[in-house]
Amino acid sequence: MEEHAKPLGLPANQTEIADDGTVGRYTVPVLHDSSTGKAISDSTRIIEYLHEAYPDTPRIIHPETKTLAVAYEHTVLKNVVLHIYATITPRVGSFMSPEDEIKYREMVNKNAGVDHTELVANKEVVEGMWKKAEEGLTLLDGYFRMAKLKFGPESEGVKGGFLEGSKPALADFSLGGFLIWMKHGLGETDEQWKRIESWNDGRWAKYLDAMKPYSEIHE
Amino acid sequence: MEEHAKPLGLPANQTEIADDGTVGRYTVPVLHDSSTGKAISDSTRIIEYLHEAYPDTPRIIHPETKTLAVAYEHTVLKNVVLHIYATITPRVGSFMSPEDEIKYREMVNKNAGVDHTELVANKEVVEGMWKKAEEGLTLLDGYFRMAKLKFGPESEGVKGGFLEGSKPALADFSLGGFLIWMKHGLGETDEQWKRIESWNDGRWAKYLDAMKPYSEIHE
């Protein structure tokens, strides 16, 4: 990232730590707003910038949820994403050129501490990973169900099925982003993805369906 | 609880499961509003009721935070409270009559699966419990710090040091409630409590100080 971003004058992400321990790592997404000349790194900071620069557009950050959304994202990471990181992430390489895929897989295998080809061959270990991810998703499902029980299914902020109400907001884009990463990593027709769609009374399939209008790319 | 609540016509808490597995358990707090004749159980439902019945009073439930606050409370429970449940809870008995304390300690020892007197004698085990609770509090401190880093220390919802902004709201009363439970369980002058007050740059001492105006009992 650094060799591409630096010549373009794009900044490092100051909320991440570089490999050498210094603050600031070059990451995507990074925004260059040609109307104002500003360049911003880190997805949350980009959203905050857009809210400030274009106040008449829909807001997805509610001030009251800032710390809670940080906590929620970490809960999803710890209870779901980390368990299956080693089995999903290398698959993302299939969207790259063959040369890039080789480099990418080497990097991911190093991060995950396990060779992906060997891992996939060990069905029992992969099953165990998915078992833990299922427990994690069931925990998240429980939060939705408990809020429904405590506040009522038709109460403001609960009805609509998103985390923050009837429209997706910051924490929803964390959860939705991880689900989309799982779906595209596995592939829509993959057996494991079909299983996930059936978990928790189909909550995750319905959630992504509701997220669709907000996750399309307009060119 | 049941023998006291039932004759008064107070309802069971429908968000909890009774010992026999049926939905509804008699818990405190329970509210009887003599102005309207309504009786409500479960602290969250009581707040929701008060918001609806008295709309001109300050609100502590923001709709966007309902599911996130449920998730956050569970994060505090799992990462902090559960680790030290067995060492704090029996101490609460010291606020009761000697006869009640005996009964109470028996119940808590059964729930915790360990005898409190034996536990306290085993300093190493208790140290280990507090080590885990400290890790949990450091995780929660990290959420505050990450929000400050991502959104800026002066941004709305971050400044003020509460979870939901410059005034405490639902998730703050969860976190604050657990901290108060720890403080009063241990006692203000307890060595362990003094240690907690020094953790994470004094965040928890400052947090409870800021919470003070909102946690006083007006008779």
Side-chain angles (χ1 to χ4, degrees):
Chain A
M1 264 307 292
E2 186 165 355
E3 59 185 293
H4 295 290
K6 259 191 171 163
L8 293 167
L10 297 173
N13 183 340
Q14 300 299 322
T15 73
E16 299 234 3
I17 307 292
D19 288 340
D20 64 4
T22 57
V23 172
R25 216 174 122 231
Y26 288 87
T27 57
V28 279
V30 58
L31 173 86
H32 177 259
D33 183 348
S34 49
S35 314
T36 62
K38 285 230 175 170
I40 316 275
S41 184
D42 182 66
S43 60
T44 312
R45 288 189 170 182
I46 290 171
I47 300 166
E48 275 278 89
Y49 165 76
L50 292 172
H51 280 347
E52 274 164 41
Y54 305 97
D56 297 335
T57 53
R59 299 189 78 80
I60 66 159
I61 298 182
H62 307 294
E64 298 84 2
T65 65
K66 285 176 179 173
T67 311
L68 293 177
V70 166
Y72 186 86
E73 180 169 275
H74 182 253
T75 298
V76 184
L77 258 173
K78 200 169 132 183
N79 291 282
V80 182
V81 176
L82 281 183
H83 295 308
I84 49 168
Y85 176 85
T87 170
I88 296 282
T89 311
R91 296 168 194 254
V92 179
S94 65
F95 299 108
M96 301 172 184
S97 71
E99 302 81 50
D100 283 349
E101 183 171 4
I102 291 169
K103 274 196 250 169
Y104 178 76
R105 281 188 175 239
E106 269 173 19
M107 185 192 79
V108 173
N109 286 340
K110 205 181 132 202
N111 285 348
V114 57
D115 178 79
H116 186 246
T117 315
E118 280 174 34
L119 175 68
V120 170
N122 196 333
K123 286 207 160 52
E124 223 167 284
V125 173
V126 174
E127 270 305 310
M129 288 172 157
W130 282 109
K131 188 83 211 134
K132 286 195 167 181
E134 184 179 3
E135 285 166 18
L137 285 170
T138 301
L139 178 77
L140 301 183
D141 179 59
Y143 296 152
F144 278 107
R145 287 188 297 112
M146 183 52 94
K148 211 166 166 174
L149 189 60
K150 280 194 178 265
F151 301 98
E154 289 310 314
S155 87
E156 209 56 58
V158 169
K159 70 178 177 199
F162 287 113
L163 274 166
E164 301 189 22
S166 48
K167 279 184 185 172
L170 188 58
D172 289 296
F173 286 102
S174 297
L175 175 58
F178 289 130
L179 290 171
I180 288 171
W181 166 79
M182 281 159 68
K183 181 177 176 174
H184 290 304
L186 291 167
E188 275 192 71
T189 56
D190 180 88
E191 214 179 288
Q192 180 60 53
W193 177 252
K194 290 284 160 208
R195 237 175 281 155
I196 296 166
E197 283 191 321
S198 77
W199 288 346
N200 307 122
D201 297 325
R203 177 178 303 277
W204 315 112
K206 280 177 241 164
Y207 188 87
L208 281 189
D209 266 351
M211 193 58 111
K212 230 174 223 161
Y214 306 94
S215 52
E216 277 170 0
I217 299 168
H218 302 279
E219 313 220 26
Chain B
M1 264 306 294
E2 186 166 354
E3 60 186 292
H4 297 289
K6 260 189 171 166
L8 295 167
L10 297 172
N13 182 340
Q14 299 299 320
T15 74
E16 299 233 5
I17 307 293
D19 287 339
D20 64 3
T22 56
V23 172
R25 217 174 121 229
Y26 288 87
T27 58
V28 277
V30 59
L31 173 85
H32 177 259
D33 183 349
S34 50
S35 315
T36 63
K38 285 230 176 170
I40 318 275
S41 182
D42 182 67
S43 60
T44 313
R45 286 190 171 180
I46 289 170
I47 301 166
E48 273 278 90
Y49 164 77
L50 292 172
H51 280 347
E52 275 164 42
Y54 306 95
D56 297 333
T57 52
R59 300 188 78 77
I60 65 158
I61 296 181
H62 307 294
E64 298 83 3
T65 65
K66 286 177 179 173
T67 310
L68 293 177
V70 166
Y72 186 86
E73 179 169 275
H74 182 252
T75 297
V76 184
L77 258 173
K78 202 170 130 182
N79 291 282
V80 184
V81 177
L82 282 183
H83 295 308
I84 48 169
Y85 176 84
T87 171
I88 296 282
T89 311
R91 297 168 193 253
V92 179
S94 64
F95 300 108
M96 302 173 185
S97 71
E99 302 81 49
D100 283 349
E101 183 171 4
I102 292 170
K103 274 196 248 167
Y104 178 76
R105 282 189 175 239
E106 268 172 22
M107 186 192 78
V108 173
N109 286 341
K110 207 182 130 199
N111 285 348
V114 58
D115 179 80
H116 186 246
T117 314
E118 281 175 35
L119 176 69
V120 170
N122 196 332
K123 285 206 162 49
E124 224 168 284
V125 173
V126 174
E127 269 306 312
M129 289 173 157
W130 281 109
K131 188 85 209 127
K132 286 197 169 182
E134 185 180 2
E135 285 166 18
L137 285 170
T138 301
L139 178 77
L140 302 182
D141 178 59
Y143 296 152
F144 278 108
R145 288 188 297 111
M146 182 54 92
K148 210 166 168 176
L149 189 60
K150 281 195 178 264
F151 300 99
E154 288 309 314
S155 87
E156 208 55 59
V158 169
K159 69 178 178 199
F162 287 114
L163 274 166
E164 302 189 22
S166 48
K167 279 185 185 169
L170 187 58
D172 289 296
F173 286 102
S174 297
L175 174 59
F178 289 131
L179 290 170
I180 289 171
W181 166 80
M182 281 158 68
K183 182 177 176 175
H184 291 303
L186 290 168
E188 275 192 70
T189 56
D190 181 86
E191 213 180 290
Q192 180 60 53
W193 177 252
K194 290 284 163 210
R195 236 174 282 155
I196 298 167
E197 282 191 322
S198 77
W199 288 346
N200 307 121
D201 297 324
R203 178 179 300 280
W204 315 113
K206 281 178 240 164
Y207 189 86
L208 280 190
D209 265 351
M211 192 60 111
K212 229 172 225 163
Y214 306 94
S215 52
E216 278 168 359
I217 297 167
H218 303 278
E219 315 220 20

